Amino acid sequence: MQCFTELTPPTAVSHSLSLPFLSGSANNLIVAKTSLLQIFSLKSVITESTAAVEDPIETRRDSINGLGSSKPITGALQRGDRAPTTKLVLIAQYELSGVVTSLARVKIQNSKSGGEALLVSLRNAKVSLVEWDAERYSIATISIHLYEREDVHGGPWEPNPDDHVSYLTVDPRSRCAALKFGARHLAILPFHQPGDDLVMEDYEPDSDGEKPDTPKSTDKNTDAKEAEKTPYGASFVLSMLALDPSLLHPVHLAFMYEYRDPTFGILSSQVASSISLFQERRDTLSYTVISLDLEQRASTALLSVNNLPYDLFAVIPLRLPIGGTLLIGGNEIIHVDQAGKTNGASVNEFAKSSTSFALADQSDLGFRLEGCVIEQLGHDSSELLMMMNDGELAIIGFKIDGRSVSGLSIRRVPEVNGGLALLAGPACASLIGRGRMFIGSEDADSVVLGWSRKLDKLKRQRSNTDLQDDEEIDISDLEEDMDDDDDLYAATKTEEKTRELVPTTEIPDQADDYRFRVHDSMENFGPMRSIALSKPRRHSPNSTRGERNTGLELLATSGRSRAGGLTTFRRQIEPRVLEQHLVPDVTRLWTVSVSKASDALSHDRQSEGLDNYIITSTESEGKLRSTAFSLSSSGFEEVQDTDLDPEAGAAVDVATLNNGSRIVQVLPSELRTFDSGPNVTAGYPVLLDFGLAQIFPMTDEATGAEPKILSASFSDPFVLLIRDDESIMVLRADESGDLDEVEQGESLQSTGVRFGSLYEDANDVFRLESDAEIEDDAGNVLMFLLTIGGGLQIFRLPSLDSCVYKADGLAFLPPFLTPSFWVRRSQAKESLTELLVTELGDTSHKAPYLILRSAANDLIIYQPFQSPVSGTRDTTLHFLKLPNPNFSKTALPASYDENEDGETTREPMRAIHDIGGYSAVFLPGDTPTFILKSASSPPQLINMRETPIGSLTRLNSSNCEKGFAYIDQEGYVNFARLPSGCRYHTGWVTRKTSFGEDVHAVDYHEPSEAYVISVSRKVDFKLPDHETHPEWSSESTSFFPQVEQGTIKLLDQKTWSIIDESVHSPISIRSLPRPLSIDDHRYPLNTAEVVMCIKTMSLEISEHTHTRATVVAVGTAMLCGEDLPTTGRVLVFNVIDVVPEPDYPETGRKLKLMAQAEVKGGVTALSEIATQGLLMAAQGQKVMVRGLKEDGTLLPVAFMDTQCYTSVVKEVKGTGMCLVGDAVKGVWFCGFYVSPVLFMLPFDHFYLPPSLPPFFSGADNLQDGLSEGLTHPYQLRLFGKSTSHLEILAADFLPDGKNLYLVIADADSNIHVLQFDPEQPFLP
């Protein structure tokens, strides 16, 4: 049972894969984020680099301490350069029931989409074969394979299979897949291919002999049987010892290229590698190539390379023109070709002492290869891109002589060429096109990385004579030209074509040939090590309103290494209000942008896309009025002396037609159009904006009826009017701007319509053609109608004779809406009130969506897609319902108004284009909501902080670019923008602030309105001079180990600037720290001392006056290595007021050290305990309660022994009940008790309590109880503990009425809910 909801979907990318998934010609990217599977397509857009707009707050912050500033990648695009940029566009995403461990592509026969299938492996030896179902626009599971069987597990002495990571590898020709699970088990899953064991497309007459004839089938049903056959064969499980007895300790395996039979290479050893036995077990690994016979279920060892370095951890097969295998170790890289010939290179000086294997010396690089990822720079490239664990880039080149590799070389990519484009280590990499690669990361944002190369570094020149020698070109452009040339020679092999690109006699010795830049990024908020909650207050632009609470703010640590920083999460959008104007009794507003015809008088306003006017509707004393206001850089002024009649009533809608040359005002009983261009009078242009041009009444000439207009929709040159008699009217503007009615067919006249929307399908997404021949230049304008019966009808304008699409089951909200949708008898019908078809997206990608609004104020979103018709190449329009977990908080919004007939109406949804770069939809009311979407995320519903909002419109003026104007509850017209630097793709308003260091812990100090954070960075550790260890001074290595260096910082919540930070002392971890002065404002953290936890709590700071204060408690650990014990400290700080720096009032606060205690073991968790202002700390294998003394010490008053590593300590505030979570042994429920004797009068005036406390129940009499209370005044006792050994990562209390539960999260991503049962005895 799932009893929780994720606040955000997973954002850390663990696996990625590029393959043609949606169709045979598609180029898709599959991304796995632990349990979330996402499918992307790639889109190329032309971008131009421009100077970023400076934020005053950001600039001010950077001037203080450089926080948040990121250096541009030198060598990337300069300002004004235009280049193609690859963007990721989300197709679909799915939540999986498990954690993904591997992704692989497989070619199968007769796939539904014509593309390849996807193999997904999950934890506990599970594999799913998935393909794309174009008819349902979703993935379809072909098969699920489970290998969690007892018969494949070893004896009880063998390790638990769950302790081993299962991973998947697939033969490059898709003949089989291998799942390695358990200690040494291999599951083989064969796939049927044309010819099965004989792969005819790889037939070589010279080596394979005479080509066998394919027997012709004599059975007429053979083809049908083959089509019905599953794409896979029966799988089987093998022990690696059955393949080769030497595979006792497998390390890694992968299938190889260029082999006729399925063949894989495996790293293994016969003895376990051990650092402690390094001298005896130096080169313990072997590399073995094994060929599989799928029919006989047999194997053959082709070659073996022994005595390889012990630290090799990965096998990477290489395509042509390189071929062979690359073995990756922590200190070296080794290439093995098909004949077993090896070439290697060392990357640091430790390789010489760690192995006797012959390696080329490149130790000057100083690389640490643990956790690195390597990918070829193109399918036919002879160079590899290596991404280190710290994000640094390097190029691996090969010296190729004929068909063999004679050497390899590694060179660092300089920072000027984008060598530091990655901020942290990658988790995966996938080549997604020529010169493009997706790099996923669990520690930083995942990116699309592109590269270019100088033309004079390439051996093959382009045929264009106008190219210069130093001109930079895109690799994709170069390879496309090469492909065009090579198409002239069909017999040329791929490896022969690509070898012309690589040097055959020497290896490139310069790294400036490749230049890398980031094309797109996918934001990642993990890993979240610490979370803090706060309720910040913001100052309103209107001084009369003062400060206001902006709601709960969640601050989480995110990222590692140079990607480390903080991320703020908010549930609601806090608009950045730039201007406020009081317009009495205003109810609605619209913005108007006139055409280029007025440029003669308004300069280049239209060329900038700026709005000229705001039209408002007001209601005062029952009178409805319309007013026009002009927008300029000088202000917001009412327009006088125009033909816009205020007494005509309040407008229903306002827009422009004829490319902005005609302003249309929709009134309840008529339409009025106004000119918006200059008129030449006596040779001088005179502005005639709002000059009345036409009045179009709603009177029916046949019946004399006067239906009223309820809503309107515009798509130049058409206007759709929805009237209160359930009829519609479609008007069209001619070249002069005059409106004429479009004739309707009989079927449309007899159809009752509730709502409608116009949409110009410029990209022909819907692909709807009218039966009538239309020769019109009006464009592809579609009219969507919501009928009274809850159906959907689509017309292609200007034809209104018959609809081009009809789906009567829309009101039943099916998951797939089709014209042939069949309604079940028990299916409920939703009461739909509104329909809107508009584009959602950002500047990279926009797509149309069908958005519905119900009577309960809920929103339903449908995505259109083309479903193929079976047996033909035609497609039909279907709609896919998107998941929406958001529900309306108010069924009947306050924005409902009653009209003269007593019917209720409400402000409709409004499409807003280019608001902060987004094409969005706004839902007004008591819960104002934006529907926002980015190219790489699904649509998200996010509320606004300002409530209620009766009307909102897009605003693009000189003072508010790409913003919006809205009416708040106090009648102010606010000009605002979306908050800068925020993103909305997770359903939260998020903002990341980069520190360039690891951020370990954070907490909020409410009195000072500041965050206390701890960061760390890697520093080289050098042995100090020591009298008893003279050998330390002879250390000659230049490749020093690295240790953590911790720092504590005080971060201002309003300006996001660092206002105080600790300074580390240059003290070795082997020497004692210097004594601290309590009055010293600058306190040191020792080398290798890292902050483990930070907690803001209310402690008693005086023993005499019992004064309490909100202080900051910090727990640290000094990680000295294996040879020295871990120690720690408990530090208590107070935030004091000081004289601020000039012009920087936020610097008026400092951290002051109040007390400290040095302890054995690291301080891993802190918590406030009971009501006496005491502190509880988990230090080493103890949990100790301490009190703060005025002399700067922390006095221990109670303790309890724990077992392994205490990961969490929490208390039910003020009760003394606490939980202690252990990272190995589970969770304990404890109680802290203070004896009442401490609160009694002096001993000759005892106050006798009416009843003894529970801890005195064992005393024989009152005197014994009082004696026990004096002997042990503070007691910390164990009440109960979990019965199983759980690996506790996080835990907290969950109160529910009178019940108290414990919620814990373990290392297997499971959530457990426990309850203390005092009647149940402890189990043995």
Side-chain angles (χ1 to χ4, degrees):
M1 179 184 68
Q2 182 172 333
C3 59
F4 67 95
T5 300
E6 291 181 338
L7 293 182
T8 65
T11 57
V13 175
S14 56
H15 300 85
S16 65
L17 181 67
S18 176
L19 78 163
F21 191 61
L22 299 187
S23 66
S25 59
N27 184 17
N28 300 115
L29 176 70
I30 310 295
V31 168
K33 301 177 178 179
T34 58
S35 61
L36 183 68
L37 189 71
Q38 292 183 319
I39 304 172
F40 293 90
S41 64
L42 306 176
K43 181 179 180 180
S44 181
V45 298
I46 302 299
T47 59
E48 179 177 356
S49 63
T50 57
V53 179
E54 292 186 353
D55 190 329
I57 295 180
E58 298 288 338
T59 304
R60 179 177 181 178
R61 180 206 315 161
D62 296 343
S63 65
I64 298 177
N65 46 40
L67 175 62
S69 61
S70 59
K71 299 172 65 175
I73 300 175
T74 312
L77 291 180
Q78 302 298 322
R79 180 176 180 178
D81 292 344
R82 295 177 61 85
T85 301
T86 301
K87 298 292 184 179
L88 299 176
V89 178
L90 180 67
I91 300 298
Q93 65 179 24
Y94 306 93
E95 296 182 1
L96 306 181
S97 299
V99 177
V100 177
T101 59
S102 295
L103 296 176
R105 55 187 291 184
V106 178
K107 292 181 180 180
I108 62 174
Q109 300 184 62
N110 304 324
S111 65
K112 293 182 178 180
S113 64
E116 298 184 8
L118 175 67
L119 267 178
V120 182
S121 69
L122 306 175
R123 282 183 181 176
N124 303 324
K126 300 178 183 179
V127 178
S128 295
L129 181 61
V130 178
E131 66 176 341
W132 180 255
D133 187 355
E135 294 184 1
R136 300 182 64 85
Y137 206 73
S138 176
I139 59 174
T141 302
I142 301 176
S143 62
I144 299 177
H145 307 267
L146 305 178
Y147 301 99
E148 270 187 318
R149 304 196 310 269
E150 294 182 359
D151 58 336
V152 301
H153 294 166
W157 57 85
E158 291 193 0
N160 190 342
D162 296 339
D163 296 336
H164 299 272
V165 177
S166 60
Y167 58 89
L168 191 69
T169 178
V170 176
D171 174 58
R173 296 175 183 173
S174 300
R175 291 167 291 189
C176 69
L179 175 70
K180 190 270 177 184
F181 67 97
R184 53 185 68 89
H185 284 97
L186 199 64
I188 306 297
L189 179 61
F191 293 98
H192 298 301
Q193 297 296 334
D196 280 334
D197 56 334
L198 291 178
V199 184
M200 295 306 175
E201 62 270 19
D202 300 310
Y203 166 74
E204 291 288 348
D206 296 336
S207 59
D208 296 340
E210 184 179 358
K211 180 177 180 180
D213 296 331
T214 303
K216 297 183 179 180
S217 175
T218 58
D219 188 356
K220 297 181 180 180
N221 297 324
T222 300
D223 295 338
K225 292 180 180 179
E226 288 293 327
E228 294 176 358
K229 186 172 58 175
T230 59
Y232 55 90
S235 63
F236 53 94
V237 177
L238 297 174
S239 172
M240 291 188 180
L241 297 179
L243 298 177
D244 193 323
S246 65
L247 305 180
L248 187 61
H249 298 280
V251 177
H252 191 250
L253 64 90
F255 276 99
M256 316 304 297
Y257 296 92
E258 301 180 80
Y259 284 91
R260 175 169 180 158
D261 295 324
T263 304
F264 64 85
I266 181 171
L267 269 175
S268 64
S269 65
Q270 292 185 344
V271 295
S273 300
S274 174
I275 299 298
S276 60
L277 300 176
F278 174 70
Q279 297 301 328
E280 289 76 17
R281 302 180 181 180
R282 178 185 295 257
D283 296 328
T284 58
L285 294 183
S286 298
Y287 172 70
T288 308
V289 178
I290 299 176
S291 177
L292 296 176
D293 187 343
L294 299 179
E295 292 185 356
Q296 302 298 327
R297 297 188 177 183
S299 63
T300 303
L302 302 182
L303 65 89
S304 179
V305 180
N306 300 318
N307 300 325
L308 293 174
Y310 78 97
D311 59 345
L312 295 176
F313 60 86
V315 177
I316 301 179
L318 302 179
R319 307 179 187 91
L320 290 176
I322 307 172
T325 308
L326 202 64
L327 306 180
I328 310 300
N331 306 315
E332 65 281 321
I333 296 178
I334 300 174
H335 178 267
V336 183
D337 64 10
Q338 287 185 328
K341 178 184 176 182
T342 60
N343 293 277
S346 62
V347 296
N348 57 55
E349 61 185 50
F350 283 121
K352 298 178 181 179
S353 58
S354 64
T355 180
S356 301
F357 195 83
L359 299 171
D361 186 12
Q362 288 194 258
S363 58
D364 57 319
L365 293 172
F367 287 160
R368 293 175 171 90
L369 300 186
E370 292 82 0
C372 71
V373 175
I374 297 177
E375 184 66 41
Q376 279 188 252
L377 287 169
H379 294 294
D380 49 8
S381 174
S382 65
E383 293 183 309
L384 310 179
L385 176 64
M386 181 168 62
M387 297 149 279
M388 259 73 71
N389 194 29
D390 59 355
E392 191 174 3
L393 302 181
I395 302 295
I396 303 177
F398 294 87
K399 183 179 181 181
I400 302 177
D401 293 332
R403 293 182 61 89
S404 64
V405 175
S406 60
L408 63 87
S409 175
I410 307 167
R411 59 190 189 274
R412 177 182 278 107
V413 177
E415 183 178 358
V416 69
N417 287 352
L420 298 179
L422 304 183
L423 299 180
C428 57
S430 300
L431 195 66
I432 57 177
R434 293 183 175 91
R436 306 290 186 268
M437 184 184 298
F438 174 80
I439 302 174
S441 176
E442 296 179 300
D443 300 330
D445 293 349
S446 302
V447 300
V448 175
L449 191 68
W451 59 88
S452 59
R453 195 174 188 181
K454 287 188 177 180
L455 187 61
D456 60 347
K457 295 296 180 182
L458 300 174
K459 299 299 181 182
R460 182 184 179 104
Q461 302 289 336
R462 294 179 65 179
S463 59
N464 298 8
T465 57
D466 55 344
L467 292 177
Q468 303 297 325
D469 289 342
D470 58 349
E471 178 183 356
E472 290 188 9
I473 61 173
D474 198 346
I475 287 291
S476 60
D477 298 334
L478 175 67
E479 294 182 351
E480 287 174 3
D481 290 346
M482 289 173 51
D483 291 343
D484 294 339
D485 295 340
D486 293 331
D487 288 341
L488 300 176
Y489 309 97
T492 304
K493 297 180 181 180
T494 303
E495 58 269 25
E496 294 176 356
K497 294 186 293 183
T498 56
R499 289 184 191 278
E500 299 180 14
L501 275 175
V502 300
T504 57
T505 58
E506 61 180 6
I507 299 174
D509 57 356
Q510 296 183 5
D512 59 354
D513 49 352
Y514 286 101
R515 295 195 174 187
F516 296 89
R517 69 181 180 97
V518 174
H519 287 225
D520 198 5
S521 64
M522 188 183 300
E523 200 165 29
N524 173 27
F525 302 132
M528 296 183 184
R529 310 182 192 181
S530 179
I531 294 177
L533 299 176
S534 65
K535 288 186 177 180
R537 303 184 65 85
R538 296 286 189 270
H539 184 72
S540 173
N542 184 6
S543 59
T544 61
R545 300 167 67 181
E547 291 188 347
R548 52 181 176 173
N549 193 345
T550 60
L552 194 65
E553 181 179 85
L554 187 149
L555 186 70
T557 62
S558 61
R560 285 194 178 103
S561 187
R562 289 181 290 115
L566 296 173
T567 303
T568 58
F569 294 83
R570 293 181 188 168
R571 270 302 189 190
Q572 297 170 318
I573 295 176
E574 180 72 21
R576 184 180 177 184
V577 179
L578 304 178
E579 298 181 22
Q580 284 187 328
H581 304 276
L582 180 61
V583 180
D585 306 317
V586 62
T587 58
R588 294 181 180 179
L589 77 166
W590 301 265
T591 55
V592 174
S593 177
V594 298
S595 67
K596 296 180 179 179
S598 60
D599 285 352
L601 298 179
S602 60
H603 304 289
D604 57 346
R605 295 184 60 86
Q606 180 65 21
S607 62
E608 300 176 0
L610 302 182
D611 295 320
N612 302 80
Y613 300 100
I614 287 184
I615 312 298
T616 63
S617 292
T618 58
E619 182 178 1
S620 177
E621 298 179 356
K623 296 182 179 180
L624 303 178
R625 297 169 55 90
S626 295
T627 310
F629 295 86
S630 64
L631 293 172
S632 63
S633 58
S634 59
F636 176 77
E637 301 175 353
E638 182 176 353
V639 179
Q640 303 292 338
D641 301 329
T642 66
D643 291 340
L644 181 66
D645 186 7
E647 306 299 330
V652 176
D653 208 340
V654 176
T656 60
L657 294 177
N658 274 25
N659 297 323
S661 63
R662 187 63 63 92
I663 302 173
V664 180
Q665 180 189 24
V666 181
L667 298 172
S669 58
E670 62 186 17
L671 268 73
R672 296 190 177 191
T673 63
F674 302 88
D675 289 324
S676 61
N679 183 24
V680 180
T681 303
Y684 296 96
V686 179
L687 186 63
L688 292 179
D689 283 355
F690 293 103
L692 184 62
Q694 183 185 10
I695 298 178
F696 197 101
M698 289 294 102
T699 304
D700 190 341
E701 297 180 355
T703 62
E706 296 183 359
K708 293 185 177 180
I709 301 174
L710 298 180
S711 64
S713 180
F714 296 85
S715 181
D716 202 1
F718 297 100
V719 182
L720 169 63
L721 304 176
I722 308 298
R723 303 191 289 190
D724 60 357
D725 61 351
E726 300 179 354
S727 66
I728 69 169
M729 176 179 287
V730 180
L731 304 178
R732 178 176 182 175
D734 57 19
E735 295 180 357
S736 63
D738 293 336
L739 297 175
D740 295 319
E741 183 177 0
V742 180
E743 295 184 1
Q744 304 180 21
E746 294 182 0
S747 61
L748 181 56
Q749 292 180 1
S750 60
T751 303
V753 178
R754 187 181 302 276
F755 212 85
S757 175
L758 297 181
Y759 173 74
E760 183 178 3
D761 190 11
N763 297 323
D764 199 20
V765 175
F766 293 92
R767 301 182 189 175
L768 296 176
E769 297 292 340
S770 177
D771 295 337
E773 296 184 0
I774 301 176
E775 295 182 0
D776 200 294
D777 58 353
N780 189 14
V781 179
L782 302 177
M783 180 176 67
F784 296 78
L785 298 179
L786 174 64
T787 63
I788 294 297
L792 172 66
Q793 293 186 9
I794 305 177
F795 292 80
R796 184 180 180 187
L797 300 182
S799 175
L800 298 179
D801 295 332
S802 61
C803 61
V804 295
Y805 187 87
K806 185 177 182 180
D808 294 330
L810 178 62
F812 294 95
L813 305 180
F816 293 94
L817 179 63
T818 65
S820 59
F821 172 71
W822 178 71
V823 180
R824 296 181 180 178
R825 181 177 300 177
S826 60
Q827 194 164 358
K829 187 176 182 179
E830 186 71 32
S831 177
L832 302 178
T833 59
E834 289 184 41
L835 173 147
L836 177 64
V837 178
T838 187
E839 289 183 342
L840 297 176
D842 53 16
T843 55
S844 300
H845 177 76
K846 300 181 181 67
Y849 289 85
L850 172 64
I851 304 173
L852 305 173
R853 187 179 184 184
S854 68
N857 209 33
D858 291 325
L859 295 180
I860 303 96
I861 304 176
Y862 278 92
Q863 177 184 0
F865 69 95
Q866 296 295 326
S867 177
V869 179
S870 179
T872 66
R873 294 186 177 181
D874 298 332
T875 60
T876 181
L877 176 63
H878 289 178
F879 291 88
L880 172 66
K881 184 181 178 182
L882 301 182
N884 176 23
N886 301 278
F887 295 95
S888 173
K889 299 179 181 179
T890 55
L892 189 64
S895 56
Y896 266 86
D897 298 324
E898 287 194 2
N899 57 21
E900 296 178 357
D901 298 330
E903 299 178 351
T904 57
T905 60
R906 56 184 173 184
E907 183 76 8
M909 297 180 290
R910 185 171 295 186
I912 305 175
H913 300 286
D914 198 9
I915 170 176
Y918 291 93
S919 292
V921 171
F922 179 75
L923 177 68
D926 283 350
T927 311
T929 304
F930 276 107
I931 305 178
L932 298 171
K933 183 189 181 303
S934 64
S936 59
S937 71
Q940 302 289 348
L941 275 66
I942 305 179
N943 298 334
M944 279 188 64
R945 168 63 56 186
E946 194 77 46
T947 58
I949 292 179
S951 182
L952 182 144
T953 185
R954 168 188 176 272
L955 176 63
N956 187 25
S957 64
S958 57
N959 297 332
C960 184
E961 295 184 4
K962 297 183 179 181
F964 54 93
Y966 68 92
I967 305 171
D968 60 22
Q969 59 182 346
E970 298 181 9
Y972 284 91
V973 175
N974 298 266
F975 294 175
R977 298 176 61 185
L978 293 177
S980 60
C982 293
R983 302 188 66 177
Y984 314 94
H985 62 283
T986 60
W988 290 72
V989 182
T990 61
R991 181 178 179 180
K992 292 185 68 174
T993 302
S994 177
F995 287 83
E997 298 175 311
D998 285 328
V999 183
H1000 294 276
V1002 61
D1003 205 359
Y1004 182 66
H1005 189 262
E1006 187 174 1
S1008 63
E1009 296 185 348
Y1011 291 102
V1012 183
I1013 63 174
S1014 68
V1015 302
S1016 70
R1017 55 187 175 88
K1018 295 284 188 179
V1019 296
D1020 291 337
F1021 172 72
K1022 302 178 181 179
L1023 292 174
D1025 296 332
H1026 202 280
E1027 296 179 357
T1028 60
H1029 295 279
E1031 69 275 9
W1032 289 359
S1033 60
S1034 61
E1035 186 180 24
S1036 60
T1037 180
S1038 60
F1039 191 65
F1040 294 100
Q1042 292 187 322
V1043 295
E1044 298 278 353
Q1045 173 60 61
T1047 306
I1048 304 173
K1049 298 185 178 184
L1050 190 62
L1051 176 67
D1052 183 66
Q1053 189 271 332
K1054 294 182 179 179
T1055 62
W1056 286 93
S1057 60
I1058 297 297
I1059 54 181
D1060 191 18
E1061 62 182 285
S1062 64
V1063 180
H1064 73 278
S1065 61
I1067 303 176
S1068 170
I1069 61 175
R1070 299 180 184 268
S1071 61
L1072 296 177
R1074 66 176 177 84
L1076 293 177
S1077 172
I1078 300 302
D1079 296 328
D1080 190 0
H1081 287 189
R1082 302 180 67 84
Y1083 47 89
L1085 289 182
N1086 298 320
T1087 302
E1089 185 177 17
V1090 180
V1091 174
M1092 305 295 293
C1093 52
I1094 294 178
K1095 187 70 175 178
T1096 301
M1097 56 186 71
S1098 177
L1099 298 184
E1100 184 179 281
I1101 60 175
S1102 175
E1103 305 171 80
H1104 305 291
T1105 63
H1106 302 289
T1107 303
R1108 309 262 310 243
T1110 302
V1111 299
V1112 179
V1114 178
T1116 69
M1118 191 175 297
L1119 308 177
C1120 307
E1122 298 179 356
D1123 55 340
L1124 292 176
T1126 299
T1127 60
R1129 289 193 295 173
V1130 179
L1131 307 173
V1132 179
F1133 299 95
N1134 193 9
V1135 181
I1136 62 174
D1137 295 330
V1138 295
V1139 178
E1141 299 178 11
D1143 300 328
Y1144 300 107
E1146 64 273 8
T1147 59
R1149 289 157 292 175
K1150 291 286 185 180
L1151 287 170
K1152 179 181 179 181
L1153 181 64
M1154 299 180 62
Q1156 71 161 333
E1158 297 180 8
V1159 299
K1160 295 181 179 179
V1163 181
T1164 57
L1166 294 169
S1167 176
E1168 185 179 350
I1169 189 72
T1171 59
Q1172 289 76 32
L1174 301 177
L1175 176 148
M1176 180 168 61
Q1179 51 187 66
Q1181 294 180 330
K1182 292 182 183 293
V1183 173
M1184 189 166 292
V1185 179
R1186 296 175 177 268
L1188 183 63
K1189 298 185 66 177
E1190 293 185 355
D1191 61 353
T1193 60
L1194 292 170
L1195 178 66
V1197 297
F1199 76 95
M1200 183 178 67
D1201 291 326
T1202 57
Q1203 293 188 346
C1204 295
Y1205 179 89
T1206 303
S1207 57
V1208 60
V1209 171
K1210 291 290 179 68
E1211 185 222 13
V1212 180
K1213 190 174 180 62
T1215 64
M1217 294 184 293
C1218 58
L1219 64 83
V1220 178
D1222 193 280
V1224 179
K1225 295 296 185 179
V1227 63
W1228 293 2
F1229 180 53
C1230 311
F1232 176 73
Y1233 180 77
V1234 180
S1235 173
V1237 177
L1238 296 179
F1239 304 100
M1240 296 180 182
L1241 296 173
F1243 293 108
D1244 55 345
H1245 297 85
F1246 279 117
Y1247 167 72
L1248 299 179
S1251 61
L1252 291 177
F1255 293 158
F1256 292 166
S1257 58
D1260 295 333
N1261 51 53
L1262 178 61
Q1263 186 64 34
D1264 293 340
L1266 294 177
S1267 176
E1268 181 181 356
L1270 292 174
T1271 306
H1272 304 287
Y1274 300 96
Q1275 301 181 26
L1276 186 62
R1277 292 193 175 183
L1278 175 65
F1279 290 162
K1281 60 181 179 179
S1282 58
T1283 57
S1284 58
H1285 290 176
L1286 301 174
E1287 300 178 15
I1288 308 298
L1289 298 184
D1292 209 336
F1293 286 102
L1294 178 63
D1296 182 19
K1298 295 183 179 180
N1299 298 322
L1300 182 63
Y1301 300 94
L1302 281 70
V1303 181
I1304 60 177
D1306 63 12
D1308 292 330
S1309 304
N1310 298 320
I1311 292 181
H1312 305 261
V1313 180
L1314 309 179
Q1315 186 179 19
F1316 173 61
D1317 186 0
E1319 304 299 330
Q1320 176 69 31
F1322 289 140
L1323 297 178

